[in-house]
Each structure stands twice: as structure tokens, then as C-alpha cells.
Amino acid sequence: MPPRIEREDLGPVLAAHRGNEALVSALEQADRPERLLSVLGRYIQFNSAFGAGLANLAGEVAARPGLFQDADEPVRVAADRAAEVASDFFYAAVDEFDDRATPWRDTHRTLAQATLKGLGTYFGYNDERLNDAVRINDATRRAMEQVWEGYGIGARLEEPRLFSAMGFHTGSEILADQEFVLIDRHLRQRRPDLVRSLESLRVPILGQQHNAYYWIRIHTGVEAEHFDAALKGVNNALRFYAGPRAPEQVKGDILGGFSRFAAVQSGFMYALGEP
């Protein structure tokens, strides 16, 4: 039997992780509108890196039919399972580029931009003041580059790095689920008037009216679904792996990528509240 990755395998990294504590601290210290706009603006910008990473990973996996083979399929030409493995990672990319819950094409990037502009409207900021308030720091730009590196964008992915990218993505989904729950909880408890305003506000972008709180609300549930799909994906990768390396080595690559994302997220979060 091939090895599997269970939630328990991820426990030690999650138990030692302190990035979410840094996120909560940054939110609590954002006591002025410009501080909150900057914190959430950086978080929104950081999240923009993931759609490209996901699409890249799904393509890299799907292009390896020889690496993922079903030993139980007697017809050799029908035995490759690369598309099956890739589909579990592409599952989240679908939402990134066309949210399933809306009747028209809504990218998560557009929805995030609507949230940021809605925050500016709530605080009475015109475009110029909003541009001044949202200061994307070097740590955010560096973290985005680390995300692209973790997913392997622009690189030829040898086996260890391909499987590491799968683990990197799995880490991003479970931590994002926690992050959005924390953000939603903080805003509802500390700034209920803001939440009520955003929930009723529509922001025009590209000819469509977008709810200003939808991006936060939808991610309090959808990221858990994306994590389940990612976990299924890494286990399908282990199940169908037909390469020359020991399966335990492959599992180690995946878990290494998971740890790597936790480190990237922590570094970003600790600098989130910088002036």
C-alpha cells in the first residue's frame, strides 16, 4: 500500500505555527482607519499571488502522464492518472478565476478588490486617500515572490519540487481557512457597523456590482473545501506515483512543502502591521 498523508501528519507544523497569532495582533493594533486599510490591503495583495500558482501547479501535474499511473488498469493507454491528480488542485483554481457561487464570472481577485474599495467607501476615503493609506510593504512583495517560487512558477519542476509544490498548496488552503475565520470574527466582534455596511454595499468593477463583504464571507467556508480537495490530491499523487523514488521520499517532499508554506505565511504575517 502506498503511504498516505493524514491530518495528523500536519499536526506538528500547525501546532508550532504562530502566523495566525501575528494576524490577530495586526488586526487588534489597527485602531485607525488607515491602519486597518493597510493591513487588509496587504492581505488582499498577498492573496493575489495564489491563482497563478494554482493554475501552474495543475498544469505541471497534468503534463506528467508517465509519473502517475494506475497499476490496476490493464489498458496501458488508459492507465495514466495525471489529469485525475491535477483536478484536485485545479478545483481551487476554478474559484480563483470564476467563483462558483455567482451567476457571472467573478474572479476572487475582483471580489477582493471590491472589499478593499468598499472599506475605503465606508471610511470616507476618496481614491487618492485610499492610494495613500494602503501601503504595500517589502515583506508583502517578498512573500508573494515566495508563493510563486513555492508553486514553481517559471521553473522546470523536477520531482522533488513538484511534490513540494503540492504540499505548499495544501498548507496554503488549511491556513487560509483559519485566516479568514479569524478576520471575519475580528471584524464582526470589533467592527460590527463596518461589516453591516459592507454586507449591503455594492462596488462597481468591470461593469458588475460586487458585494463588498462577499470575498471575506465566502472564504470562511470555501477554503475548507479547497483543503479537502488538496489533501485528496496529494494522496492521489502518492497512490498513482510511478516514478523511480521511494514513496516515503515523495511523502517527505509533500510534507516539506507544507512546512515551507507555513514559514512563508508566518514571515508575511509578522510584518503585516508594519507602519
Side-chain angles (χ1 to χ4, degrees):
M1 289 290 293
R4 289 183 55 82
I5 291 178
E6 307 292 350
R7 289 174 181 262
E8 292 75 14
D9 293 308
L10 312 177
V13 173
L14 295 176
H17 182 66
R18 296 293 178 267
N20 289 344
E21 293 178 12
L23 168 61
V24 172
S25 177
L27 289 169
E28 290 178 344
Q29 293 176 34
D31 53 350
R32 301 188 306 277
E34 62 270 21
R35 291 291 301 276
L36 184 63
L37 284 167
S38 196
V39 166
L40 292 179
R42 290 168 180 174
Y43 185 73
I44 286 169
Q45 189 72 1
F46 174 64
N47 273 267
S48 71
F50 289 89
L54 270 170
N56 185 80
L57 175 60
E60 287 281 352
V61 174
R64 313 290 177 100
L67 191 60
F68 301 103
Q69 292 280 313
D70 188 347
D72 295 328
E73 173 54 63
V75 180
R76 289 191 298 273
V77 74
D80 73 88
R81 296 292 180 260
E84 182 70 22
V85 176
S87 70
D88 293 316
F89 301 105
F90 192 71
Y91 179 82
V94 172
D95 278 334
E96 287 293 332
F97 293 104
D98 184 8
D99 187 81
R100 292 177 175 89
T102 55
W104 51 79
R105 179 171 296 171
D106 262 331
T107 70
H108 279 188
R109 178 59 174 162
T110 301
L111 295 171
Q113 291 166 341
T115 294
L116 181 63
K117 296 184 73 173
L119 285 163
T121 298
Y122 174 82
F123 288 120
Y125 280 41
N126 61 21
D127 294 343
E128 183 178 358
R129 285 192 70 195
L130 188 57
N131 283 333
D132 290 338
V134 180
R135 299 180 180 180
I136 304 303
N137 57 357
D138 289 341
T140 301
R141 286 185 280 268
R142 184 166 57 252
M144 293 174 67
E145 291 172 357
Q146 290 170 330
V147 167
W148 292 324
E149 181 181 358
Y151 276 106
I153 290 181
R156 177 175 175 80
L157 300 187
E158 302 298 338
E159 270 193 39
R161 196 165 174 193
L162 178 69
F163 289 104
S164 174
M166 295 181 190
F168 191 90
H169 169 64
T170 305
S172 77
E173 294 294 4
I174 193 170
L175 289 178
D177 178 52
Q178 297 171 5
E179 292 161 15
F180 278 98
V181 168
L182 290 171
I183 292 170
D184 181 62
R185 181 185 304 157
H186 173 86
L187 294 177
R188 290 185 184 279
Q189 291 178 350
R190 303 292 183 87
R191 298 176 181 269
D193 291 345
L194 183 152
V195 174
R196 283 193 293 270
S197 177
L198 294 184
E199 286 179 330
S200 63
L201 179 63
R202 297 296 184 271
V203 177
I205 299 179
L206 295 174
Q208 299 287 353
Q209 298 290 324
H210 305 276
N211 181 274
Y213 201 73
Y214 181 79
W215 182 71
I216 294 175
R217 180 174 60 80
I218 193 65
H219 280 91
T220 61
V222 72
E223 297 297 349
E225 297 176 13
H226 293 172
F227 170 70
D228 288 341
L231 195 59
K232 178 172 174 279
V234 296
N235 282 315
N236 270 339
L238 289 166
R239 174 188 174 187
F240 297 122
Y241 176 67
R245 302 165 69 233
E248 288 295 340
Q249 286 181 301
V250 176
K251 179 177 177 178
D253 292 335
I254 295 170
L255 292 176
F258 185 88
S259 298
R260 194 166 297 112
F261 179 77
V264 170
Q265 193 257 23
S266 290
F268 167 69
M269 292 301 181
Y270 277 108
L272 189 57
E274 286 181 349

